Amino acid sequence: MYQDEIFSNAITDAKKEGYDSLTREIKGMEAAIERFFSKIFETTASVSERDFNVSSF
């Protein structure tokens, strides 16, 4: 009975660790994608301002 409880706790801990690791990885990817898009949009905005003589909001 005690070994079953230890095994159950180990499985729960492994699932929680895997979930936490996955969450950290997703947040890192999300931050990288946001930085990428912000750089792309800033670049296209400045090119539009220069080429078409318009100001961005």
Side-chain angles (χ1 to χ4, degrees):
M1 187 84 173
Y2 180 70
Q3 291 176 349
D4 292 339
E5 185 177 326
I6 291 173
F7 184 72
S8 176
N9 289 341
I11 290 175
T12 303
D13 291 343
K15 285 181 182 179
K16 186 175 186 302
E17 181 66 31
Y19 177 76
D20 292 342
S21 175
L22 182 62
T23 303
R24 284 191 302 270
E25 186 175 339
I26 289 172
K27 285 182 181 182
M29 291 171 53
E30 180 181 359
I33 290 170
E34 285 179 6
R35 284 192 308 269
F36 172 74
F37 279 126
S38 67
K39 291 210 183 277
I40 292 295
F41 292 137
E42 287 173 4
T43 302
T44 56
S46 64
V47 168
S48 296
E49 288 175 6
R50 184 191 70 218
D51 291 347
F52 300 108
N53 196 21
V54 295
S55 62
S56 64
F57 295 104

